Amino acid sequence: MSEVVISGTGLVTPFGRGTGTYWRELVAGRTALAPAARFRSPAYQGEPVGEVPDFDPTGRPRKQAYASAAVEEALHAAGLPGTPDGTLVITVGQAPLPADGSGLGAEEREFLGPGAEGITAGGDSVHLTHACASALFAVAFAHEALLSGSVPAVLIVGATALNHYEYASMDVVRAVDRAACRPFDTARGGISLGEGGGALLLETADRARERGARPEAVVAGTACRVAAGKSVASDTDSVADCLREAADAAGASRLDYVHAHATGTAQGDTAELLALETVAAERGWTDVPVSSHKGAVGHLLHISGAAGIAATAMTLRTGVAPPTAGLRTPEETDRLTLPTTALETPHAEVAAVSSFGFGGNNATVVLRRP
């Protein structure tokens, strides 16, 4: 049976356009979080956010514009002139932007979307919403669809734009840090919101090989769980179960790197670290590097998993694990390493990326070097 591979990745982040730009700044430990230059909201009190710089949406809703830019890069990276015939397009977000959004207000147009309009060339599309784990749920969906032989390729696309509704939803549950977020830091105080877009082109390894494409990573295993017992807080048992199931599905005896969800909240980061320590102890793993991109670009909500996938794939390709921006005083760990600067991982072969969301949405994807 052929494997499923990621052939192309596209990103728009608060560092600007491009996966290469994102990776360069992430490895350097830089942060794009700063007081907003453009964004205004009744709930916003001047906290650092991640705004996309120097981007003209040309009259389109920002989510749609960010998504389109990410798709263009992903297709180019995959060596494709356009979306292949029969491609399944999976959009992720709160709800799709209607094709005719003329009756929507300006803030609604920034809240909804992206939609498949202008992204799919008339093929089938589906919209998934699993809170901040949406992108990884989409990867699991794509993995099964490709292995079943029902589609030749899957394009996952999503975006987020700073807007009144989502900012207020995080502020009202006291999740926002008044300083830039510091995942895994002992002084962390909450999340910082960011914006941007992401796209992933997935296909079977056989199809990629036939057209001479060089995959970025193999999707070796996936695990998704909806455990709604705790609607907001992360649940250590569910997080650990996802990690175990994804590693087992991948046949991985060890993980050489973990790109964590780690948003900077006190409860969430603690629960995730405990889950990782628990599974590492069970399986005899030691010195596993763990980091997060949230301190660099903020939380990209539904599409944050695409940024995590990109960082994980690049770690496997380059042999370098990125640090967590903003991390100064790491939590104490036993079997994990929380790097504050780039860490050489020359022998990394298998790595995991996790995303967790409100409503008990939990997902982990294990990638392998092609």
mmCIF file of all heavy atoms in Angstrom, residues 295-315:
data_model
loop_
_atom_site.group_PDB
_atom_site.id
_atom_site.type_symbol
_atom_site.label_atom_id
_atom_site.label_comp_id
_atom_site.label_asym_id
_atom_site.label_seq_id
_atom_site.Cartn_x
_atom_site.Cartn_y
_atom_site.Cartn_z
ATOM 1 N N GLY A 295 4.803 31.423 20.403
ATOM 2 C CA GLY A 295 5.506 32.601 20.886
ATOM 3 C C GLY A 295 6.098 33.439 19.774
ATOM 4 O O GLY A 295 6.465 34.595 19.982
ATOM 5 N N ALA A 296 6.178 32.862 18.580
ATOM 6 C CA ALA A 296 6.743 33.567 17.435
ATOM 7 C C ALA A 296 5.679 34.298 16.618
ATOM 8 O O ALA A 296 5.865 35.456 16.246
ATOM 9 C CB ALA A 296 7.496 32.580 16.536
ATOM 10 N N VAL A 297 4.559 33.630 16.344
ATOM 11 C CA VAL A 297 3.543 34.219 15.461
ATOM 12 C C VAL A 297 2.171 34.327 16.110
ATOM 13 O O VAL A 297 1.222 34.825 15.498
ATOM 14 C CB VAL A 297 3.434 33.426 14.136
ATOM 15 C CG1 VAL A 297 4.745 33.486 13.375
ATOM 16 C CG2 VAL A 297 3.002 31.981 14.369
ATOM 17 N N GLY A 298 2.051 33.838 17.352
ATOM 18 C CA GLY A 298 0.743 33.841 17.992
ATOM 19 C C GLY A 298 -0.067 32.622 17.601
ATOM 20 O O GLY A 298 0.376 31.761 16.837
ATOM 21 N N HIS A 299 -1.267 32.564 18.136
ATOM 22 C CA HIS A 299 -2.156 31.431 17.891
ATOM 23 C C HIS A 299 -2.973 31.715 16.635
ATOM 24 O O HIS A 299 -3.759 32.661 16.588
ATOM 25 C CB HIS A 299 -3.069 31.242 19.102
ATOM 26 C CG HIS A 299 -3.758 29.915 19.150
ATOM 27 N ND1 HIS A 299 -3.862 29.085 18.051
ATOM 28 C CD2 HIS A 299 -4.391 29.264 20.175
ATOM 29 C CE1 HIS A 299 -4.526 27.996 18.398
ATOM 30 N NE2 HIS A 299 -4.845 28.070 19.675
ATOM 31 N N LEU A 300 -2.797 30.876 15.619
ATOM 32 C CA LEU A 300 -3.520 31.037 14.354
ATOM 33 C C LEU A 300 -4.825 30.239 14.337
ATOM 34 O O LEU A 300 -5.397 30.008 13.260
ATOM 35 C CB LEU A 300 -2.622 30.622 13.184
ATOM 36 C CG LEU A 300 -1.258 31.339 13.098
ATOM 37 C CD1 LEU A 300 -0.533 30.952 11.813
ATOM 38 C CD2 LEU A 300 -1.409 32.839 13.205
ATOM 39 N N LEU A 301 -5.277 29.818 15.519
ATOM 40 C CA LEU A 301 -6.591 29.187 15.680
ATOM 41 C C LEU A 301 -6.766 27.983 14.755
ATOM 42 O O LEU A 301 -5.972 27.063 14.790
ATOM 43 C CB LEU A 301 -7.690 30.236 15.503
ATOM 44 C CG LEU A 301 -7.595 31.435 16.479
ATOM 45 C CD1 LEU A 301 -8.692 32.447 16.210
ATOM 46 C CD2 LEU A 301 -7.618 30.970 17.922
ATOM 47 N N HIS A 302 -7.808 27.985 13.901
ATOM 48 C CA HIS A 302 -8.134 26.791 13.118
ATOM 49 C C HIS A 302 -7.007 26.311 12.207
ATOM 50 O O HIS A 302 -6.911 25.123 11.911
ATOM 51 C CB HIS A 302 -9.385 27.054 12.260
ATOM 52 C CG HIS A 302 -10.629 27.218 13.048
ATOM 53 N ND1 HIS A 302 -10.934 28.385 13.720
ATOM 54 C CD2 HIS A 302 -11.665 26.364 13.285
ATOM 55 C CE1 HIS A 302 -12.099 28.245 14.329
ATOM 56 N NE2 HIS A 302 -12.558 27.037 14.093
ATOM 57 N N ILE A 303 -6.162 27.212 11.759
ATOM 58 C CA ILE A 303 -5.106 26.813 10.825
ATOM 59 C C ILE A 303 -3.751 26.687 11.513
ATOM 60 O O ILE A 303 -2.726 26.478 10.858
ATOM 61 C CB ILE A 303 -5.030 27.818 9.643
ATOM 62 C CG1 ILE A 303 -4.292 27.202 8.444
ATOM 63 C CG2 ILE A 303 -4.395 29.139 10.075
ATOM 64 C CD1 ILE A 303 -4.905 25.936 7.900
ATOM 65 N N SER A 304 -3.705 26.767 12.844
ATOM 66 C CA SER A 304 -2.412 26.693 13.538
ATOM 67 C C SER A 304 -1.693 25.371 13.271
ATOM 68 O O SER A 304 -0.455 25.322 13.286
ATOM 69 C CB SER A 304 -2.596 26.902 15.040
ATOM 70 O OG SER A 304 -3.420 25.892 15.598
ATOM 71 N N GLY A 305 -2.442 24.313 13.018
ATOM 72 C CA GLY A 305 -1.816 23.018 12.745
ATOM 73 C C GLY A 305 -0.961 23.025 11.497
ATOM 74 O O GLY A 305 0.014 22.267 11.397
ATOM 75 N N ALA A 306 -1.296 23.876 10.521
ATOM 76 C CA ALA A 306 -0.486 23.947 9.299
ATOM 77 C C ALA A 306 0.887 24.522 9.605
ATOM 78 O O ALA A 306 1.907 24.068 9.068
ATOM 79 C CB ALA A 306 -1.191 24.790 8.240
ATOM 80 N N ALA A 307 0.939 25.530 10.477
ATOM 81 C CA ALA A 307 2.229 26.082 10.896
ATOM 82 C C ALA A 307 3.029 25.035 11.663
ATOM 83 O O ALA A 307 4.262 24.954 11.540
ATOM 84 C CB ALA A 307 2.020 27.326 11.747
ATOM 85 N N GLY A 308 2.338 24.220 12.468
ATOM 86 C CA GLY A 308 3.008 23.145 13.190
ATOM 87 C C GLY A 308 3.537 22.064 12.265
ATOM 88 O O GLY A 308 4.660 21.570 12.440
ATOM 89 N N ILE A 309 2.741 21.693 11.258
ATOM 90 C CA ILE A 309 3.172 20.703 10.270
ATOM 91 C C ILE A 309 4.411 21.202 9.531
ATOM 92 O O ILE A 309 5.388 20.466 9.327
ATOM 93 C CB ILE A 309 2.041 20.423 9.265
ATOM 94 C CG1 ILE A 309 0.916 19.608 9.923
ATOM 95 C CG2 ILE A 309 2.573 19.728 8.021
ATOM 96 C CD1 ILE A 309 1.158 18.135 10.015
ATOM 97 N N ALA A 310 4.383 22.482 9.117
ATOM 98 C CA ALA A 310 5.512 23.044 8.378
ATOM 99 C C ALA A 310 6.793 23.006 9.215
ATOM 100 O O ALA A 310 7.869 22.632 8.723
ATOM 101 C CB ALA A 310 5.200 24.471 7.949
ATOM 102 N N ALA A 311 6.688 23.395 10.491
ATOM 103 C CA ALA A 311 7.862 23.393 11.366
ATOM 104 C C ALA A 311 8.381 21.976 11.592
ATOM 105 O O ALA A 311 9.604 21.743 11.626
ATOM 106 C CB ALA A 311 7.524 24.054 12.697
ATOM 107 N N THR A 312 7.486 21.034 11.743
ATOM 108 C CA THR A 312 7.882 19.648 11.993
ATOM 109 C C THR A 312 8.554 19.043 10.769
ATOM 110 O O THR A 312 9.588 18.366 10.875
ATOM 111 C CB THR A 312 6.656 18.820 12.398
ATOM 112 O OG1 THR A 312 5.996 19.448 13.502
ATOM 113 C CG2 THR A 312 7.049 17.410 12.798
ATOM 114 N N ALA A 313 7.974 19.285 9.589
ATOM 115 C CA ALA A 313 8.575 18.776 8.356
ATOM 116 C C ALA A 313 9.961 19.377 8.137
ATOM 117 O O ALA A 313 10.901 18.679 7.727
ATOM 118 C CB ALA A 313 7.663 19.079 7.162
ATOM 119 N N MET A 314 10.116 20.669 8.416
ATOM 120 C CA MET A 314 11.409 21.318 8.240
ATOM 121 C C MET A 314 12.437 20.806 9.255
ATOM 122 O O MET A 314 13.629 20.691 8.937
ATOM 123 C CB MET A 314 11.262 22.829 8.357
ATOM 124 C CG MET A 314 10.565 23.471 7.178
ATOM 125 S SD MET A 314 11.450 23.233 5.611
ATOM 126 C CE MET A 314 12.920 24.222 5.885
ATOM 127 N N THR A 315 12.003 20.470 10.461
ATOM 128 C CA THR A 315 12.911 19.885 11.440
ATOM 129 C C THR A 315 13.477 18.568 10.921
ATOM 130 O O THR A 315 14.681 18.300 11.023
ATOM 131 C CB THR A 315 12.193 19.666 12.781
ATOM 132 O OG1 THR A 315 11.835 20.926 13.338
ATOM 133 C CG2 THR A 315 13.063 18.906 13.774
#
